[in-house]
Amino acid sequence: SLPLAQVVALFNTVDVLLFPSWYEGFGWPALQALACGTSVVASNAGSLPEVVGDCGFLRDPADVDGLTNDVEQLLDNQDLRLEFASRGIAWAQRFTWKSHVGKVVDVYQRISKS
């Protein structure tokens, strides 16, 4: 595991994160890439659709041709890459610890009222 500063430095040196995972607990690499303004091409498995939203391309992890085409499209189209980067930075801000804790508290309050 790399220190966060090195993770940020790496994501800031690449144009696209290709993340064709078959299963994800949460999808931290995709979220970290979005927060750094790095475009994401990921699988549509596990939590990745929720984590990536409409800020990247999502495909079946077995769709090698589709994943390849998405990466090529982002590398060839700087405007699209920048659009995804902008959306991704804003989207990633929704996933803060404060926001997470607030949602957990809301669930416990609803349960306790039942």
Side-chain angles (χ1 to χ4, degrees), residues 20-109:
S21 178
W22 287 91
Y23 173 79
E24 275 308 306
F26 178 75
W28 284 109
L31 182 60
Q32 290 168 329
L34 293 172
C36 290
T38 301
S39 297
V40 174
V41 174
S43 66
N44 59 3
S47 63
L48 289 168
E50 180 182 351
V51 172
V52 174
D54 68 349
C55 304
F57 288 123
L58 297 168
R59 295 249 183 209
D60 185 294
D63 185 1
V64 175
D65 290 336
L67 292 164
T68 301
N69 289 335
D70 290 344
V71 170
E72 288 175 349
Q73 185 176 351
L74 285 168
L75 292 175
D76 291 341
N77 187 336
Q78 183 179 10
D79 291 338
L80 179 60
R81 201 168 59 245
L82 293 174
E83 179 184 332
F84 277 165
S86 176
R87 277 196 262 169
I89 290 169
W91 181 260
Q93 292 175 11
R94 297 176 59 232
F95 294 91
T96 65
W97 283 113
K98 183 177 181 179
S99 168
H100 175 71
V101 169
K103 290 176 185 175
V104 170
V105 168
D106 289 344
V107 168
Y108 279 120
Q109 288 175 340

